[in-house]
């Protein structure tokens, strides 16, 4: 066992003395040491229950003959970090989480790992660490929040809460209405209840084979979540015994499977940042263009919030991730031969699985659309690509040409939106918010929600070299690459320029002649960085491509 390096032999007597100082017994040190990476904290609603999940995982490990050893990972609440400097730190925590988990696992020579994440960057960060370490590992998230219920009986969620602010600014909702959302939109612990980034990544973790069934969908407050955690703790012992490792599971075929699942579920555009970064740690390079190939052949089967009015608890009741995968196998869209963290193949996992609610998970013969939830656009405005959640775009905005309204920061744009300066037909351009220009590539749920809350989501587009929350809906196109701070074409857009968006044909064009663009480029000077000290200053120096996954190198 790897842990022999810290527990066996006379030479390791000093190491053992420190274990004994921790209260471990000789008998415990003779069993496999399983690191339990728990992201519990008291600031993220999706993580406030992870102490209970960790205790259940540890009970499962002991039950199956292992010794659990818990250590922490950080996590940021993107909702609380939204709209101020804190959001600049969110994406970069993904890599801090991966690095610190790698350091802890190697320093202490664990035989296996159980990862307990839940929210946006915590899940991909721990998947990156698992791939990098390549020792037996399995995931058990904290589970999604239940949907809220307003005083009039309507169900609600966090994206509705943000849109309520836009409705208030437009005079469509009074303060009492905002307070109704505020008190009822987020009623329990758990990751926010729509198909936002956290739930997208937890579902994809299940789909790629790194978690047991239900990991992405069993609500946080259900006792079934604790039973799942115990079974996860038991299962890591089988993975250790059989030496089934993350890169045995996360193969190229598995990544193609999970991209297909992504399209069927209608996941967050942030998956287009995280999946390439995780694949990179596995030695696999995911082509951004290949996402469109998968999207063209993958029907969109689910319309969870923000695309529709159903929530994670509904998906769970309908059969969860496995039921969606079962539908995809009906047209041979998945490779079912690969091994998973269950110790069985995908095909074996899907035996006997049924779609229990055709209103929540459309049968593959009757999808919401014949193409997937995400599209990658390219053109003169984004030569290296950009990303849109097309399943959440109104039909009226799938093809749109309008005048650019240009802002050099999110803050400038949101002020203009709230002031009523954005009108029907506009294309709002927010630049210098990419990985380098932001720095940190912050999510921009505030401006997109303001547009939606004001009722302009069927009339106004928004494009940016930054990114969007999974809770964003409408013609919101992010990850414009190259970003403005690297001299990408978005840096040369001027007020009133015509921008043409054609989502069905995956095109986005700046309708300005080449000579004019060349003249603008010759005069362009990159603005000074907005953050000049600390970790973000280092991050700002990295040359990255946002659409390719913002991999730190």
């Amino acid at each position: 066992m790897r842990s022999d390096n810290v527990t066996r032999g006379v030479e390791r007597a000093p190491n053992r003395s420190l274990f004994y100082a921790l209260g471990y017994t000789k008998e415990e040190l003779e069993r496999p040491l399983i690191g339990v990476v728990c992201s519990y904290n008291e600031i993220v609603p999706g993580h406030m229950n992870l102490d209970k999940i960790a205790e259940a995982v540890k009970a499962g490990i002991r039950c199956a003959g292992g010794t659990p050893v818990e250590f922490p990972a950080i996590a940021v609440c993107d909702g609380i970090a939204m709209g101020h400097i804190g959001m600049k730190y969110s994406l970069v925590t993904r890599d801090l989480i991966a690095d610190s988990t790698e350091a802890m696992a190697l320093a202490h020579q664990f035989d296996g790992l159980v990862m307990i994440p839940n929210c946006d960057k915590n899940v991909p960060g721990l998947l990156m660490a698992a791939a990098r370490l390549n020792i037996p590992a399995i995931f058990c998230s904290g589970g999604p929040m239940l949907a809220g219920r307003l005083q009039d009986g309507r169900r609600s969620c966090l994206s509705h809460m943000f849109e309520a602010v836009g409705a208030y600014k437009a005079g469509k909702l009074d303060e009492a209405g905002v307070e109704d959302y505020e008190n009822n939109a987020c009623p329990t612990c758990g990751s926010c209840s729509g198909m936002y980034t956290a739930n997208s990544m937890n579902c994809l973790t299940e789909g790629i084979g790194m978690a047991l069934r239900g990991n992405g969908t069993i609500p946080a407050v259900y006792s079934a979540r604790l039973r799942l955690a115990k079974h996860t703790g038991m299962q890591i012992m089988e993975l250790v015994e059989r030496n089934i490792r993350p890169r045995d599971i996360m193969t190229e075929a598995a990544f193609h499977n999970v991209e297909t699942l992504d399209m069927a579920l209608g996941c967050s555009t942030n998956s287009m940042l995280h999946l390439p970064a995780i694949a990179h740690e596995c030695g696999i390079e995911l082509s951004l263009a290949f996402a469109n190939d998968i999207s063209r052949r993958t029907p969109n089967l689910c319309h969870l919030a923000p695309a529709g009015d159903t929530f994670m608890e509904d998906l769970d009741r309908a059969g969860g991730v496995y039921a969606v995968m079962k539908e995809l196998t009906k047209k041979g869209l998945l490779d079912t031969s690969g091994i998973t963290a269950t110790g069985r193949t995908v095909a074996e996992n899907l035996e006997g699985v049924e779609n229990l609610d055709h209103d929540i998970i459309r049968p593959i013969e009757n999808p919401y659309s014949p193409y997937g939830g995400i599209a990658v656009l390219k053109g003169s405005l984004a030569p290296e690509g950009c990303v849109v959640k097309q399943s959440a775009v109104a039909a009226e905005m799938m093809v749109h040409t309008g005048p650019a309204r240009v802002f050099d920061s999110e803050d400038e744009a949101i002020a203009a939106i709230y002031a009523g300066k954005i009108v029907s037909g506009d294309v709002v351009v927010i630049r210098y918010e990419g990985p380098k220009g932001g720095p940190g590539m912050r999510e921009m749920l505030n401006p997109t929600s303001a547009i939606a809350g004001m009722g302009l989501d069927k009339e106004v587009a928004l494009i940016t070299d930054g990114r969007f929350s999974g809770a964003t809906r409408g013609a919101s196109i992010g990850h414009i690459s190259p970003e403005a701070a690297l001299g990408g074409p978005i840096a040369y857009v001027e007020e009133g320029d015509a921008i043409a968006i054609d989502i069905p044909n995956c095109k986005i064009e700046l309708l300005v002649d080449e000579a004019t663009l060349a003249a603008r480029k010759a005069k362009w000077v990159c603005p000074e960085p907005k953050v000049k000290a600390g970790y973000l200053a280092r991050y700002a120096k990295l040359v990255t491509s946002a659409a390719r996954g913002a991999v730190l190198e």
Side-chain angles (χ1 to χ4, degrees):
M1 297 188 295
R2 291 167 54 85
S3 59
D4 289 352
N5 291 324
V6 293
T7 62
R8 299 292 174 94
V10 173
E11 296 84 357
R12 296 298 179 241
N15 309 64
R16 288 195 300 276
S17 72
L18 295 169
F19 277 102
Y20 293 149
L22 290 162
Y24 290 98
T25 67
K26 180 176 181 294
E27 291 79 9
E28 287 176 300
L29 298 186
E30 290 173 348
R31 302 169 186 163
L33 297 185
I34 307 299
V36 177
V37 190
C38 181
S39 307
Y40 167 77
N41 62 42
E42 296 181 345
I43 191 62
V44 185
H47 290 230
M48 63 182 287
N49 65 320
L50 296 190
D51 56 338
K52 308 297 190 300
I53 301 295
E55 289 303 317
V57 164
K58 290 189 286 187
I61 292 169
R62 293 188 186 102
C63 182
T67 297
V69 183
E70 184 179 340
F71 64 91
I74 63 169
V76 163
C77 178
D78 278 18
I80 294 175
M82 196 75 65
H84 56 88
I85 191 173
M87 181 45 70
K88 294 176 181 288
Y89 283 85
S90 174
L91 182 57
V92 297
T93 64
R94 185 191 70 184
D95 298 82
L96 291 171
I97 291 161
D99 293 346
S100 59
T101 301
E102 176 190 12
M104 289 292 288
L106 290 178
H108 302 106
Q109 292 292 288
F110 296 115
D111 297 301
L113 294 169
V114 179
M115 309 293 201
I116 307 177
N118 211 29
C119 289
D120 294 25
K121 312 310 168 299
N122 198 244
V123 182
L126 289 177
L127 281 166
M128 290 167 65
R132 193 182 296 173
L133 289 160
N134 203 34
I135 62 175
I138 190 170
F139 280 65
C140 183
S141 75
M145 184 183 291
L146 294 179
R149 193 168 293 275
L150 302 179
Q151 290 181 355
D152 63 7
R154 286 178 297 147
R155 298 168 83 197
S156 189
C157 58
L158 182 67
S159 56
H160 296 168
M161 176 71 255
F162 274 89
E163 290 176 18
V165 176
Y168 173 79
K169 294 287 187 178
K172 296 182 177 183
L173 191 69
D174 60 18
E175 287 190 24
V178 173
E179 189 174 356
D180 186 9
Y181 280 99
E182 184 177 337
N183 289 327
N184 296 302
C186 301
T188 71
C189 63
S191 46
C192 298
S193 56
M195 188 55 79
Y196 311 145
T197 304
N199 290 326
S200 294
M201 293 309 303
N202 282 319
C203 286
L204 297 182
T205 300
E206 187 178 337
I208 206 170
M210 286 296 293
L212 302 183
R213 182 179 182 180
N215 181 67
T217 60
I218 298 173
V221 295
Y222 285 11
S223 297
R225 176 61 58 177
L226 295 177
R227 296 196 296 272
L228 175 71
K230 290 177 182 178
H231 284 129
T232 301
M234 296 175 197
Q235 186 59 27
I236 187 60
M237 300 310 298
E238 179 183 339
L239 298 180
V240 169
E241 182 179 354
R242 294 174 59 184
N243 197 29
I244 298 174
R245 294 182 274 180
R247 287 185 227 162
D248 299 326
I249 297 168
M250 294 193 287
T251 63
E252 186 169 0
F255 276 101
H256 293 165
N257 279 353
V258 85
E259 284 188 306
T260 301
L261 176 64
D262 185 325
M263 298 299 174
L265 284 169
C267 290
S268 165
T269 53
N270 283 314
S271 65
M272 294 292 103
L273 292 175
H274 299 319
L275 289 176
I278 298 160
H280 181 78
E281 299 293 349
C282 294
I284 298 166
E285 299 307 313
L286 288 187
S287 165
L288 187 66
F290 192 58
N292 278 344
D293 294 336
I294 292 176
S295 184
R296 288 187 192 101
R297 64 174 183 259
T298 305
N300 178 228
L301 305 181
C302 300
H303 264 193
L304 286 90
D309 295 321
T310 55
F311 301 91
M312 295 304 297
E313 63 202 78
D314 303 314
L315 179 60
D316 185 65
R317 179 175 48 79
V321 171
Y322 276 25
V324 178
M325 294 175 72
K326 186 72 170 187
E327 290 290 345
L328 294 171
T329 63
K330 292 178 180 178
K331 290 195 174 181
L333 295 177
L334 300 180
D335 182 334
T336 60
S337 63
I339 193 70
T340 70
T342 66
R344 303 187 299 168
T345 65
V346 174
E348 290 170 327
N349 288 342
L350 298 181
E351 289 176 2
V353 171
E354 295 182 29
N355 177 357
L356 301 176
D357 191 329
H358 291 185
D359 291 329
I360 306 301
I361 303 171
R362 288 278 187 93
I364 201 163
E365 302 83 8
N366 181 34
Y368 282 101
S369 67
Y371 48 79
I374 290 176
V376 175
L377 316 184
K378 284 191 175 183
S380 58
L381 187 58
E384 294 181 8
C386 56
V387 182
V388 62
K389 186 172 182 174
Q390 60 184 340
S391 62
V393 178
E396 298 91 327
M397 293 300 295
M398 293 296 282
V399 177
H400 178 76
T401 299
R405 304 297 309 280
V406 183
F407 303 95
D408 286 349
S409 72
E410 175 191 4
D411 310 279
E412 294 174 17
I414 194 69
I417 294 167
Y418 283 158
K421 296 180 180 179
I422 302 303
V423 299
S424 179
D426 284 348
V427 178
V428 177
V429 178
I430 303 178
R431 62 190 178 192
Y432 299 108
E433 291 287 5
K436 183 174 182 179
M441 199 181 188
R442 58 180 168 171
E443 285 185 348
M444 284 176 274
L445 182 56
N446 280 339
T448 59
S449 296
I451 288 170
M454 291 175 170
L456 294 173
D457 56 296
K458 296 180 180 179
E459 302 169 16
V460 170
L462 192 154
I463 69 173
T464 181
D465 54 5
R467 64 192 178 92
F468 297 116
S469 164
T472 288
R473 64 183 176 94
S476 302
I477 301 166
H479 312 184
I480 297 278
S481 295
E483 65 174 288
L486 294 179
I490 192 173
Y492 319 132
V493 179
E494 294 187 358
E495 189 81 6
D497 285 349
I499 292 174
I501 299 164
D502 185 347
I503 295 173
N505 290 303
C506 301
K507 294 183 181 295
I508 185 165
E509 305 288 352
L510 175 61
L511 302 182
V512 175
D513 64 81
E514 291 185 10
T516 300
L517 279 180
R520 292 178 185 178
K521 184 176 182 179
K523 296 188 296 183
W524 175 75
V525 177
C526 185
E528 285 292 313
K530 298 171 186 173
V531 176
K532 298 182 180 180
Y535 185 81
L536 280 178
R538 171 179 169 267
Y539 185 87
K541 295 177 183 177
L542 301 170
V543 178
T544 65
S545 174
R548 290 178 184 161
V551 179
L552 297 189
E553 294 179 346

